[in-house]
Each structure stands twice: as structure tokens, then as C-alpha cells.
Amino acid sequence: RVIARVGKRKGKKAKSFKPNSVDYDQRILSVNIEAETVSLSTVDGRVKIPMHIGEYQRQLLRTAKSIQGGVLVRKKGSWHIYLWCEHDDPPVINPNGFLGVDLGIVNIATDSDGEVYSGKHLNSVRHRYRRLRQKLQKKGTQSAKRLLKKISGKEHRFASHVNHRVSKCIVAKAQRTGRGIALEDLRGIRERVRLRKPQRATLHSWAFHDLAQKIRYKAERAGVPLVFVDPRNTSRECPACGHTERANRPTQALFRCVVCGYSGLADHFAAVNIGRRAAVIQPNAGAWNAAHGYHATCKPRTSVRGR
């Protein structure tokens, strides 16, 4: 299985392999859903391990078409197994319009209906952990290093939890209203944007890709179409008259058109423009997404802890 994992990198020199995880396929792994146990092949024979899962994971396992395998991972002294569950694709709905979603740092997401998912709490948590890491790294003592190891991953897990909640709300709203979802294609934004030094850490900790991926696989599971659009000038274009100018956005939060005077929340107007662009390219959405690298399927994973 190690050879199978490393051998996928054709034309590249294989890197060192750390023995903290192992791949399992259907030949050396089986799952008893009724008894909630996992049977794994080891060098000492088969081992049956009880699963400790919640209702969400239980429902995923019971509705899975098949379980293709998994990855056994060791994290901080405990073992987790990530199972690859295959589900039938639900029928994709014929969207009645698109719910535009503008992703940002101050506001994690803002949709074209005007609903704002604030990032104030998340940004404060990130800032607190950043200051704590700087303080501990400067101190450099053994106790400081132990504390750094203890808090490692907490910020990432919290941000992932927030993105899960936001993505779930967005997909549920689109499914309930019979609309598709439109997002900006933000790839390469970190290289394009120039910021002052104090703002760089905030930009590089912006987990827009993680949120987009969570929206993507949840939308696929719900049969909701997802379209990525060109992000240029979405926050500078007036949704009323169409005038586009940098002066239309005097502040980060405010939009005021210099031609017609139409004003409001800048992120909301950007989300409206994103939804309209998606409606224009919707007949060719599949071809556009494939051409821009958005044709891959994201398979949801079930995390199961074993003892």
C-alpha cells in the first residue's frame, strides 16, 4: 500500500514516507455497519475495532452504496480512520436563478439575499492565537514549546468548524429555494493582491478555498448546481445602472455609485453581481467549470475514531 501511494507521483522523485498513516482497500478492510465495527488486517492478523461515531456519521455509513476503503491515521497518540464512502449522485435540479455568494475576510460570506455571515469572532480567534504563538516562540523555553504543541491545530479546527456551518446554511438555502450557487474563482488571489505587512498574515490565513470546497461537496450531495464566475469588478459594479468604477467603493463596507447614487453594503452588491454573472453563463456552466479545473468530484469522508 505504501508503494501504491508513493507510486502515483509519476516523473517525480519520491519523498520520505512517515509511518503515521496507512492506506486500506476493500481487500484488507471491512465494515460491519450494524455492529459498528471495523475489521483491519495487520501483521498480527485481523483486528476488530469498535467505532465511536455520531448520528451524522452513522447516517452516512447506512446510506452509502459501498465503502471503498480508508486511511488509518495516528494523531497525538490516538487512531482515526477516514472511510471512503460511495454514494449515488442525486438528480441535479434545474435552477430557478442563482444564489450569489461573496467570500471575504471581514464577512466570511454574504449572499445575494443580503444575509451576512460575519467573520468577527473567527478573526478575533485567529488574532489571539497569532499573538500567543509569537509570545511563546519568542520565549523559547521547554514549557513554551510544550504549550505550542498543545495548541497546534486548534485554530485550524475552529476555522474548519465555522466553514462547515456557513457552507451548510448556504447550500440549505439554495436547495430550499430551488436555486444554484454562484461563487467567485479566487485562485491566485494571494499573489495578485498587494498589502501592507500587518495585513499579510490576515490574507494568508483566509480559508476561502476550504469554504468553497465545503460548499462544493455539500452542493453535489444535495443536487444543487454550483458555478464559478470571474471575480473582476464584482464589488465595483453598480447592480442598478451597471457603472463600474473604483470610486464606487469609498470604504471596505460601503458601496455608493458615483453615477446614479445607489448605495448599500458592498459585499451584498458583489454577491448580487456574482449571481447575475452565473445566470448569464449558466447554459455553458459545465463546459466553463471543466475548462477552469472545476470538474473533479469531492467525495465526503467519514471520520471514525477507534480505541
Side-chain angles (χ1 to χ4, degrees):
R1 297 304 303 159
V2 172
I3 294 173
R5 180 191 292 186
V6 178
K8 293 179 181 179
R9 302 172 183 175
K10 295 181 179 179
K12 294 184 179 180
K13 186 177 179 180
K15 298 181 179 179
S16 60
F17 178 80
K18 295 181 179 180
N20 55 5
S21 66
V22 59
D23 286 348
Y24 276 85
D25 59 18
Q26 291 177 314
R27 298 170 298 175
I28 53 179
L29 175 145
S30 62
V31 179
N32 188 326
I33 299 176
E34 297 301 325
E36 295 188 357
T37 60
V38 178
S39 177
L40 303 173
S41 289
T42 71
V43 292
D44 295 324
R46 280 273 180 173
V47 177
K48 288 187 178 181
I49 306 172
M51 295 187 292
H52 297 266
I53 57 177
E55 190 57 38
Y56 174 73
Q57 288 83 5
R58 187 174 290 111
Q59 181 65 20
L60 279 179
L61 290 173
R62 292 184 184 277
T63 58
K65 183 179 179 181
S66 64
I67 298 175
Q68 300 296 314
V71 180
L72 186 64
V73 181
R74 183 181 177 89
K75 289 185 178 180
K76 296 183 178 180
S78 62
W79 292 91
H80 303 258
I81 188 163
Y82 298 93
L83 299 176
W84 302 327
C85 302
E86 182 181 8
H87 290 78
D88 290 327
D89 292 332
V92 179
I93 65 172
N94 187 17
N96 181 23
F98 279 84
L99 179 69
V101 180
D102 178 66
L103 307 182
I105 298 175
V106 177
N107 295 319
I108 299 174
T110 305
D111 64 33
S112 52
D113 290 346
E115 186 170 358
V116 178
Y117 304 89
S118 176
K120 184 177 180 180
H121 182 46
L122 175 60
N123 291 331
S124 66
V125 170
R126 288 193 185 279
H127 184 61
R128 176 161 53 86
Y129 276 113
R130 194 180 307 132
R131 286 185 302 170
L132 180 58
R133 282 195 299 268
Q134 290 174 348
K135 182 179 178 181
L136 293 174
Q137 288 168 354
K138 186 177 180 180
K139 197 170 184 180
T141 62
Q142 289 297 322
S143 59
K145 292 178 181 178
R146 284 195 298 268
L147 185 55
L148 275 170
K149 186 177 180 180
K150 184 178 179 180
I151 67 173
S152 66
K154 283 190 174 181
E155 178 186 340
H156 173 74
R157 289 193 296 272
F158 178 76
S160 179
H161 171 69
V162 172
N163 283 345
H164 266 301
R165 291 190 340 190
V166 173
S167 60
K168 184 177 180 180
C169 291
I170 291 172
V171 173
K173 175 185 282 191
Q175 185 181 27
R176 185 176 64 252
T177 56
R179 290 179 288 180
I181 299 174
L183 298 175
E184 296 172 295
D185 179 7
L186 295 176
R187 291 176 300 174
I189 190 171
R190 290 189 174 95
E191 290 73 28
R192 295 195 303 268
V193 176
R194 299 195 176 200
L195 296 172
R196 294 177 297 170
K197 189 174 181 180
Q199 298 174 311
R200 292 173 192 166
T202 302
L203 175 66
H204 287 284
S205 64
W206 180 23
F208 67 88
H209 179 73
D210 179 68
L211 177 57
Q213 290 301 308
K214 286 178 170 56
I215 293 175
R216 185 177 172 186
Y217 86 74
K218 286 180 173 64
E220 287 179 351
R221 188 184 299 168
V224 175
L226 176 63
V227 175
F228 290 83
V229 303
D230 189 344
R232 285 179 294 184
N233 294 322
T234 54
S235 62
R236 296 176 181 176
E237 180 182 344
C238 178
C241 68
H243 178 72
T244 303
E245 187 177 336
R246 186 174 184 178
N248 284 350
R249 195 168 178 178
T251 66
Q252 186 278 330
L254 179 64
F255 182 98
R256 184 185 295 116
C257 182
V258 296
V259 173
C260 67
Y262 193 54
S263 63
L265 181 65
D267 291 344
H268 176 214
F269 288 174
V272 171
N273 291 329
I274 292 168
R276 289 178 178 176
R277 292 185 184 185
V280 171
I281 70 169
Q282 193 270 336
N284 301 312
W288 191 95
N289 285 336
H292 289 75
Y294 288 109
H295 56 277
T297 301
C298 292
K299 291 185 178 180
R301 297 187 300 178
T302 301
S303 176
V304 182
R305 172 176 289 184
R307 294 179 182 173

